[in-house]
Amino acid sequence: MSEADQRWGARLKQARLNAGLSQKMLGIEAGIDAFVASTRINRYELGIHRPDLLTVRKLAKVLDVPVAFFFADEDDDIAELLFRYSKVAPSVRMAVFKLLAE
């Protein structure tokens, strides 16, 4: 298991806990069969397996985070910015965008 897989799994767990979902509920809401949903999400979070892109998109939609949050390779600051940016009001997003554009 690589460091990148562990990082990916930790980000999934962070987003899941923030959303207040169990592993099973996240899996079910992302379209994973209820019988294996908990196990699959657990293996993703542990970094044992990584889902395909379609599943990542479904997970991101359920968790209301950008897909890029999971793939901000080796840069936890960027991942954190993506996570926080996805959670703020549009007016705050516009202010951040203007600030960064200067």
Side-chain angles (χ1 to χ4, degrees):
M1 159 174 34
S2 74
E3 186 178 321
D5 290 333
Q6 289 177 326
R7 186 180 315 104
W8 198 98
R11 289 183 185 155
L12 177 62
K13 185 174 183 175
Q14 173 191 0
R16 178 181 63 78
L17 293 175
N18 184 267
L21 294 172
S22 67
Q23 290 176 335
K24 184 172 186 168
M25 286 310 302
L26 172 57
I28 291 169
E29 289 188 31
I32 298 170
D33 183 270
F35 184 71
V36 297
S38 181
T39 302
R40 292 254 313 266
I41 298 300
N42 181 264
R43 289 176 189 249
Y44 296 155
E45 288 183 0
L46 292 174
I48 295 169
H49 297 292
R50 203 186 288 192
D52 61 38
L53 186 56
L54 178 61
T55 303
V56 173
R57 287 181 175 150
K58 290 176 182 179
L59 292 168
K61 185 174 182 176
V62 171
L63 296 169
D64 193 29
V65 298
V67 171
F69 166 70
F70 296 112
F71 296 103
D73 198 29
E74 297 185 26
D75 196 331
D76 290 333
D77 288 344
I78 290 175
E80 188 65 24
L81 285 171
L82 287 167
F83 183 80
R84 290 176 185 258
Y85 186 81
S86 71
K87 302 299 179 192
V88 297
S91 60
V92 175
R93 288 182 181 191
M94 183 59 80
V96 169
F97 187 77
K98 285 181 181 179
L99 179 65
L100 292 173
E102 292 177 357

